[in-house]
Amino acid sequence: MTQAIVVEGLRKKFGAREVLHGLNFAVEPGTVFGVIGPNGAGKTTIMRCLLDIIRPSAGSISVLGQDPRQAGTALRRRIGYLPGELHLENRTTGRRVLEHFAAISGPVEQRHVDELAERLNLDLDRQTRKLSKGNKQKLGLLQAFMHKPELLVLDEPTSGLDPLVQQVFHAMVREAVDEGATVFLSSHVLSEVQQAADAVAILRDGEIVTVSTVEALRTAAVRQLRFSSTGTEPHDVGALLARVPGVANVAVREIKADGHVAGAVEATATLSGRVQPLVQELARLNLMDLVLEEPDLEEAVLTLYIGQPVGNSESPGSAQTPAHGHRPGPRAEGAHRA
Amino acid sequence: MPKVLPLFTKALTDSWRSTLAWAVGLSAACMLYLPLYPSIGGSAQMQDLINALPPEMTKALNYDQIASGPGYTQATMFGLIGFLLMSMASVGWGAAAVGGDEESGLLELTLAHSVTRVQVVLERALAIVVRIALLSALVFLLVLGLNGPSQLSIDVGHLAGAVLLFAALALLSGTAALCAGALGGRKVYGIAAGAAVAVLGYVFNAVGRQSPDVEWLLNLSPYHWAYGNSPVANGADWGAGAGLYGISLALIILGAVALQRRDVGV
């Protein structure tokens, strides 16, 4: 079966400014492919190229086996698109908006529309100008899904949706995939892609930093480790941690709380990679406490966004920090490196 | 169920309010201006007044011909207030059709559906043609209705020809607006281009009529092409009509080709 999307050497210039610098990626049919990257990384530009709204400066694109530049209307009928900035007409109702899009991209089963509207809890008879941002977004999703397209191209689909509706959206994506559709979606936050996507491309400044599965990202992601133990010297703990692959940022200190528990040690570190080797080493210790946090994918991605370790003096604006990146990305080396 | 010309029907139904408003405006203009003819154009006193005006001014306003019913209708309705209203309506529709739609972000989603860009331009241009035709037909009927009561003595055939030119002139500024909007993707480009065609056409006519030295300006004035021989009085210049409609068609095609070839919404 041919791939749903194949992008090779995609470049896009706006005037003298190149915003996509030769992208390559492919999306397998029947999967969910997520693109994450900060605002301005080029996510929307890729999607507009897929829909032939803008044209590549170089490179080739194949969507459902066809070049969007040549394929014309028949191809776009097979695609459902949600733009990143959804604009709707004001003096009309959701129902009329959908009727119009059904007229130009149908056929659409009315029953399916009603069903989706009900699931999304969207009143189609309200004036569009009175809809909240979230409700407009629901209408945008509905027009993308309603003709049961083979490919869904969704730019920041959960933007403005409350958590409950986000769950409905994820269910809709799953169902579409179960029926054989391919989904290409973007986000600037990982948690959204993490939930839906089989594969993730990380885009930074018009280049794909990495394409991997969410699972691989999770493995590569950094976990915070914190424990305390008794009966060991700090440098022994340090040495033990140094043997574990993927451990970094080790900081060990002695706790002398009341003096009669000799050699209580508290250590913090980060772990990327597998957990098993760490657990094996830690089993040698007399642990009082152990905390191994959920992998912080957000942070893993943030590291990739920023690219270079620390020295975080990227040009202003280009390296927009994702919302949850409250911690600095790559940390300085740990204090005690035994 | 595939609908026939979905973008055309949508453009028409979406604009019924503005079409109605312009229809009301044009009707009001007809009904205010034309019944005044017996007391203005036809009266000797008024003629004395006009004779007392600087000839440059009467020429600029085409008031040199208002002593006859057809001349009066030509100068006031078709040449001035009707021309103004129709041009405004047409430029507004033309600028909104593609440029305005793109600027507001709506065009992107339309183009993501199963339509071609050429189709978008052509169907929306057709919707402008139909709206202008409706308003022009209304003007035709109103003038025809007032012809007797207002003692205008206009020949119906001449009136029909004049209305066709009146529509052609309005369509030209509308298609110029459409084309500029399709080229540049901004509503303001459309407004500027459409207004330029209408206003410069009017000004070149007004100035060009002043003296033989600047007569060449008339050649640049679509307004003069259409109205140079006072079609309400003398019948339409069909060549001018064909030329105006031809240019409009060319502008529509140019707009479609331009939109087809460029990035949208950037």
Tab-separated table of all heavy atoms in Angstrom, chain B residues 150-196:
chain	number	residue	atom	x	y	z
B	150	SER	N	-42.678	61.960	-16.062
B	150	SER	CA	-41.720	63.047	-15.891
B	150	SER	C	-41.402	63.745	-17.214
B	150	SER	O	-40.467	64.542	-17.281
B	150	SER	CB	-40.416	62.507	-15.287
B	150	SER	OG	-40.679	61.890	-14.054
B	151	GLN	N	-42.154	63.420	-18.232
B	151	GLN	CA	-42.032	64.066	-19.549
B	151	GLN	C	-40.606	63.999	-20.097
B	151	GLN	O	-40.048	64.989	-20.558
B	151	GLN	CB	-42.464	65.533	-19.456
B	151	GLN	CG	-43.868	65.702	-18.906
B	151	GLN	CD	-44.080	67.120	-18.370
B	151	GLN	OE1	-43.492	68.087	-18.847
B	151	GLN	NE2	-44.960	67.239	-17.366
B	152	LEU	N	-39.991	62.808	-19.953
B	152	LEU	CA	-38.588	62.694	-20.357
B	152	LEU	C	-38.430	62.430	-21.849
B	152	LEU	O	-37.384	62.698	-22.418
B	152	LEU	CB	-37.911	61.563	-19.562
B	152	LEU	CG	-37.839	61.806	-18.045
B	152	LEU	CD1	-37.382	60.546	-17.314
B	152	LEU	CD2	-36.894	62.952	-17.733
B	153	SER	N	-39.448	61.857	-22.469
B	153	SER	CA	-39.433	61.495	-23.897
B	153	SER	C	-38.175	60.730	-24.311
B	153	SER	O	-37.459	61.128	-25.237
B	153	SER	CB	-39.572	62.719	-24.817
B	153	SER	OG	-39.885	63.877	-24.140
B	154	ILE	N	-37.877	59.692	-23.569
B	154	ILE	CA	-36.714	58.871	-23.899
B	154	ILE	C	-37.156	57.725	-24.801
B	154	ILE	O	-38.162	57.073	-24.525
B	154	ILE	CB	-36.068	58.289	-22.623
B	154	ILE	CG1	-35.591	59.416	-21.708
B	154	ILE	CG2	-34.897	57.368	-22.955
B	154	ILE	CD1	-35.155	58.958	-20.334
B	155	ASP	N	-36.364	57.493	-25.825
B	155	ASP	CA	-36.618	56.359	-26.705
B	155	ASP	C	-36.246	55.076	-25.962
B	155	ASP	O	-35.163	54.974	-25.383
B	155	ASP	CB	-35.751	56.513	-27.959
B	155	ASP	CG	-35.884	55.320	-28.887
B	155	ASP	OD1	-36.811	55.340	-29.712
B	155	ASP	OD2	-35.067	54.370	-28.750
B	156	VAL	N	-37.153	54.107	-25.983
B	156	VAL	CA	-36.936	52.894	-25.181
B	156	VAL	C	-35.694	52.132	-25.636
B	156	VAL	O	-34.912	51.626	-24.820
B	156	VAL	CB	-38.179	51.978	-25.231
B	156	VAL	CG1	-37.923	50.693	-24.438
B	156	VAL	CG2	-39.388	52.699	-24.673
B	157	GLY	N	-35.501	52.086	-26.931
B	157	GLY	CA	-34.318	51.408	-27.461
B	157	GLY	C	-33.041	52.083	-26.989
B	157	GLY	O	-32.078	51.423	-26.572
B	158	HIS	N	-33.030	53.413	-27.032
B	158	HIS	CA	-31.868	54.155	-26.551
B	158	HIS	C	-31.649	53.925	-25.067
B	158	HIS	O	-30.512	53.801	-24.596
B	158	HIS	CB	-32.029	55.650	-26.825
B	158	HIS	CG	-31.966	55.989	-28.294
B	158	HIS	ND1	-32.179	57.259	-28.772
B	158	HIS	CD2	-31.702	55.220	-29.372
B	158	HIS	CE1	-32.055	57.260	-30.093
B	158	HIS	NE2	-31.777	56.017	-30.473
B	159	LEU	N	-32.760	53.876	-24.355
B	159	LEU	CA	-32.661	53.644	-22.911
B	159	LEU	C	-32.030	52.285	-22.645
B	159	LEU	O	-31.123	52.161	-21.804
B	159	LEU	CB	-34.043	53.722	-22.250
B	159	LEU	CG	-34.054	53.422	-20.754
B	159	LEU	CD1	-33.250	54.460	-19.978
B	159	LEU	CD2	-35.490	53.379	-20.218
B	160	ALA	N	-32.489	51.285	-23.388
B	160	ALA	CA	-31.940	49.939	-23.182
B	160	ALA	C	-30.437	49.928	-23.457
B	160	ALA	O	-29.645	49.360	-22.689
B	160	ALA	CB	-32.654	48.938	-24.080
B	161	GLY	N	-30.048	50.587	-24.543
B	161	GLY	CA	-28.625	50.656	-24.863
B	161	GLY	C	-27.839	51.377	-23.788
B	161	GLY	O	-26.755	50.943	-23.380
B	162	ALA	N	-28.422	52.481	-23.293
B	162	ALA	CA	-27.735	53.255	-22.253
B	162	ALA	C	-27.580	52.433	-20.984
B	162	ALA	O	-26.536	52.482	-20.313
B	162	ALA	CB	-28.521	54.544	-21.965
B	163	VAL	N	-28.603	51.646	-20.662
B	163	VAL	CA	-28.536	50.827	-19.446
B	163	VAL	C	-27.460	49.754	-19.599
B	163	VAL	O	-26.729	49.454	-18.656
B	163	VAL	CB	-29.916	50.212	-19.127
B	163	VAL	CG1	-29.792	49.121	-18.081
B	163	VAL	CG2	-30.863	51.295	-18.647
B	164	LEU	N	-27.341	49.214	-20.805
B	164	LEU	CA	-26.282	48.221	-21.027
B	164	LEU	C	-24.896	48.841	-20.829
B	164	LEU	O	-23.998	48.216	-20.267
B	164	LEU	CB	-26.396	47.638	-22.438
B	164	LEU	CG	-27.413	46.509	-22.598
B	164	LEU	CD1	-27.518	46.120	-24.069
B	164	LEU	CD2	-27.012	45.298	-21.763
B	165	LEU	N	-24.739	50.072	-21.274
B	165	LEU	CA	-23.452	50.748	-21.083
B	165	LEU	C	-23.239	51.121	-19.619
B	165	LEU	O	-22.125	51.046	-19.088
B	165	LEU	CB	-23.386	51.998	-21.967
B	165	LEU	CG	-23.192	51.703	-23.444
B	165	LEU	CD1	-23.427	52.960	-24.284
B	165	LEU	CD2	-21.793	51.158	-23.701
B	166	PHE	N	-24.319	51.528	-18.990
B	166	PHE	CA	-24.302	51.851	-17.562
B	166	PHE	C	-23.826	50.626	-16.776
B	166	PHE	O	-22.944	50.714	-15.903
B	166	PHE	CB	-25.745	52.236	-17.192
B	166	PHE	CG	-26.045	52.464	-15.735
B	166	PHE	CD1	-25.506	53.554	-15.063
B	166	PHE	CD2	-26.917	51.615	-15.057
B	166	PHE	CE1	-25.832	53.783	-13.730
B	166	PHE	CE2	-27.239	51.848	-13.736
B	166	PHE	CZ	-26.693	52.929	-13.070
B	167	ALA	N	-24.356	49.466	-17.122
B	167	ALA	CA	-23.949	48.220	-16.468
B	167	ALA	C	-22.498	47.885	-16.808
B	167	ALA	O	-21.718	47.455	-15.940
B	167	ALA	CB	-24.869	47.078	-16.895
B	168	ALA	N	-22.126	48.104	-18.053
B	168	ALA	CA	-20.764	47.773	-18.478
B	168	ALA	C	-19.737	48.601	-17.719
B	168	ALA	O	-18.684	48.110	-17.315
B	168	ALA	CB	-20.614	48.014	-19.983
B	169	LEU	N	-20.087	49.870	-17.532
B	169	LEU	CA	-19.175	50.780	-16.833
B	169	LEU	C	-19.003	50.350	-15.375
B	169	LEU	O	-17.892	50.321	-14.837
B	169	LEU	CB	-19.761	52.193	-16.925
B	169	LEU	CG	-18.828	53.373	-16.795
B	169	LEU	CD1	-17.631	53.239	-17.713
B	169	LEU	CD2	-19.597	54.658	-17.094
B	170	ALA	N	-20.115	50.006	-14.751
B	170	ALA	CA	-20.050	49.551	-13.354
B	170	ALA	C	-19.275	48.237	-13.272
B	170	ALA	O	-18.434	48.044	-12.401
B	170	ALA	CB	-21.454	49.373	-12.795
B	171	LEU	N	-19.549	47.364	-14.220
B	171	LEU	CA	-18.882	46.059	-14.206
B	171	LEU	C	-17.377	46.215	-14.363
B	171	LEU	O	-16.596	45.496	-13.743
B	171	LEU	CB	-19.440	45.181	-15.334
B	171	LEU	CG	-18.900	43.749	-15.370
B	171	LEU	CD1	-19.324	42.996	-14.116
B	171	LEU	CD2	-19.379	43.020	-16.612
B	172	LEU	N	-16.981	47.198	-15.151
B	172	LEU	CA	-15.552	47.386	-15.385
B	172	LEU	C	-14.827	47.727	-14.080
B	172	LEU	O	-13.786	47.136	-13.774
B	172	LEU	CB	-15.326	48.497	-16.416
B	172	LEU	CG	-13.852	48.740	-16.755
B	172	LEU	CD1	-13.286	47.553	-17.513
B	172	LEU	CD2	-13.675	50.019	-17.550
B	173	SER	N	-15.381	48.640	-13.296
B	173	SER	CA	-14.685	48.955	-12.044
B	173	SER	C	-14.764	47.775	-11.079
B	173	SER	O	-13.836	47.523	-10.313
B	173	SER	CB	-15.209	50.251	-11.418
B	173	SER	OG	-16.597	50.306	-11.465
B	174	GLY	N	-15.857	47.028	-11.139
B	174	GLY	CA	-15.973	45.839	-10.281
B	174	GLY	C	-14.979	44.761	-10.654
B	174	GLY	O	-14.340	44.159	-9.791
B	175	THR	N	-14.810	44.525	-11.946
B	175	THR	CA	-13.869	43.476	-12.354
B	175	THR	C	-12.425	43.938	-12.133
B	175	THR	O	-11.552	43.121	-11.842
B	175	THR	CB	-14.071	43.076	-13.826
B	175	THR	OG1	-14.065	44.244	-14.631
B	175	THR	CG2	-15.385	42.343	-14.003
B	176	ALA	N	-12.203	45.263	-12.250
B	176	ALA	CA	-10.858	45.767	-11.934
B	176	ALA	C	-10.567	45.492	-10.451
B	176	ALA	O	-9.457	45.077	-10.089
B	176	ALA	CB	-10.767	47.263	-12.231
B	177	ALA	N	-11.566	45.712	-9.610
B	177	ALA	CA	-11.395	45.453	-8.175
B	177	ALA	C	-11.180	43.965	-7.920
B	177	ALA	O	-10.312	43.566	-7.140
B	177	ALA	CB	-12.619	45.952	-7.404
B	178	LEU	N	-11.949	43.151	-8.583
B	178	LEU	CA	-11.814	41.695	-8.431
B	178	LEU	C	-10.419	41.243	-8.852
B	178	LEU	O	-9.749	40.474	-8.155
B	178	LEU	CB	-12.869	40.990	-9.285
B	178	LEU	CG	-12.761	39.474	-9.360
B	178	LEU	CD1	-13.781	38.833	-8.444
B	178	LEU	CD2	-12.943	38.951	-10.752
B	179	CYS	N	-9.984	41.749	-9.978
B	179	CYS	CA	-8.698	41.346	-10.528
B	179	CYS	C	-7.553	41.782	-9.612
B	179	CYS	O	-6.667	40.984	-9.291
B	179	CYS	CB	-8.523	41.964	-11.915
B	179	CYS	SG	-6.985	41.534	-12.710
B	180	ALA	N	-7.608	43.031	-9.149
B	180	ALA	CA	-6.541	43.511	-8.269
B	180	ALA	C	-6.544	42.730	-6.952
B	180	ALA	O	-5.484	42.421	-6.411
B	180	ALA	CB	-6.709	45.002	-8.006
B	181	GLY	N	-7.732	42.405	-6.462
B	181	GLY	CA	-7.809	41.605	-5.237
B	181	GLY	C	-7.244	40.207	-5.448
B	181	GLY	O	-6.550	39.660	-4.594
B	182	ALA	N	-7.506	39.639	-6.618
B	182	ALA	CA	-6.996	38.296	-6.905
B	182	ALA	C	-5.482	38.323	-7.103
B	182	ALA	O	-4.788	37.373	-6.780
B	182	ALA	CB	-7.663	37.741	-8.162
B	183	LEU	N	-4.982	39.442	-7.620
B	183	LEU	CA	-3.536	39.575	-7.798
B	183	LEU	C	-2.831	39.778	-6.468
B	183	LEU	O	-1.808	39.166	-6.197
B	183	LEU	CB	-3.230	40.776	-8.707
B	183	LEU	CG	-3.333	40.543	-10.200
B	183	LEU	CD1	-3.411	41.886	-10.924
B	183	LEU	CD2	-2.114	39.786	-10.695
B	184	GLY	N	-3.391	40.660	-5.650
B	184	GLY	CA	-2.660	41.081	-4.457
B	184	GLY	C	-3.120	40.448	-3.158
B	184	GLY	O	-2.417	40.497	-2.163
B	185	GLY	N	-4.322	39.872	-3.174
B	185	GLY	CA	-4.792	39.212	-1.959
B	185	GLY	C	-5.236	40.141	-0.853
B	185	GLY	O	-5.353	39.725	0.293
B	186	ARG	N	-5.458	41.407	-1.176
B	186	ARG	CA	-5.926	42.343	-0.154
B	186	ARG	C	-7.137	43.082	-0.695
B	186	ARG	O	-7.168	43.461	-1.859
B	186	ARG	CB	-4.854	43.385	0.179
B	186	ARG	CG	-3.578	42.832	0.758
B	186	ARG	CD	-3.695	42.624	2.259
B	186	ARG	NE	-2.473	42.073	2.799
B	186	ARG	CZ	-2.144	40.784	2.754
B	186	ARG	NH1	-2.945	39.917	2.175
B	186	ARG	NH2	-1.020	40.368	3.278
B	187	LYS	N	-8.076	43.318	0.197
B	187	LYS	CA	-9.281	44.023	-0.209
B	187	LYS	C	-8.953	45.440	-0.677
B	187	LYS	O	-9.515	45.938	-1.641
B	187	LYS	CB	-10.242	44.073	0.978
B	187	LYS	CG	-11.585	44.659	0.617
B	187	LYS	CD	-12.572	44.454	1.737
B	187	LYS	CE	-13.945	44.898	1.300
B	187	LYS	NZ	-14.983	44.509	2.249
B	188	VAL	N	-8.011	46.062	0.031
B	188	VAL	CA	-7.718	47.460	-0.257
B	188	VAL	C	-7.157	47.623	-1.678
B	188	VAL	O	-7.412	48.629	-2.336
B	188	VAL	CB	-6.772	48.058	0.805
B	188	VAL	CG1	-5.422	47.364	0.788
B	188	VAL	CG2	-6.592	49.548	0.615
B	189	TYR	N	-6.428	46.633	-2.170
B	189	TYR	CA	-5.944	46.723	-3.552
B	189	TYR	C	-7.126	46.765	-4.514
B	189	TYR	O	-7.117	47.500	-5.507
B	189	TYR	CB	-5.068	45.515	-3.903
B	189	TYR	CG	-3.787	45.398	-3.120
B	189	TYR	CD1	-3.079	44.205	-3.076
B	189	TYR	CD2	-3.278	46.489	-2.417
B	189	TYR	CE1	-1.892	44.088	-2.354
B	189	TYR	CE2	-2.103	46.378	-1.688
B	189	TYR	CZ	-1.420	45.187	-1.659
B	189	TYR	OH	-0.262	45.061	-0.940
B	190	GLY	N	-8.106	45.934	-4.227
B	190	GLY	CA	-9.289	45.899	-5.065
B	190	GLY	C	-10.031	47.222	-5.038
B	190	GLY	O	-10.417	47.758	-6.080
B	191	ILE	N	-10.229	47.746	-3.827
B	191	ILE	CA	-10.922	49.026	-3.693
B	191	ILE	C	-10.170	50.100	-4.467
B	191	ILE	O	-10.758	50.896	-5.215
B	191	ILE	CB	-11.011	49.443	-2.200
B	191	ILE	CG1	-11.775	48.394	-1.379
B	191	ILE	CG2	-11.608	50.836	-2.059
B	191	ILE	CD1	-13.252	48.532	-1.385
B	192	ALA	N	-8.844	50.114	-4.295
B	192	ALA	CA	-8.035	51.147	-4.953
B	192	ALA	C	-8.160	51.033	-6.472
B	192	ALA	O	-8.383	52.036	-7.158
B	192	ALA	CB	-6.573	51.009	-4.523
B	193	ALA	N	-8.025	49.819	-6.981
B	193	ALA	CA	-8.065	49.653	-8.434
B	193	ALA	C	-9.448	49.991	-8.986
B	193	ALA	O	-9.575	50.709	-9.987
B	193	ALA	CB	-7.689	48.216	-8.797
B	194	GLY	N	-10.475	49.492	-8.317
B	194	GLY	CA	-11.834	49.746	-8.791
B	194	GLY	C	-12.181	51.218	-8.737
B	194	GLY	O	-12.737	51.787	-9.685
B	195	ALA	N	-11.813	51.846	-7.623
B	195	ALA	CA	-12.108	53.271	-7.475
B	195	ALA	C	-11.314	54.076	-8.495
B	195	ALA	O	-11.820	55.050	-9.050
B	195	ALA	CB	-11.779	53.725	-6.058
B	196	ALA	N	-10.080	53.646	-8.755
B	196	ALA	CA	-9.261	54.364	-9.732
B	196	ALA	C	-9.930	54.338	-11.098
B	196	ALA	O	-10.002	55.361	-11.778
B	196	ALA	CB	-7.861	53.743	-9.803
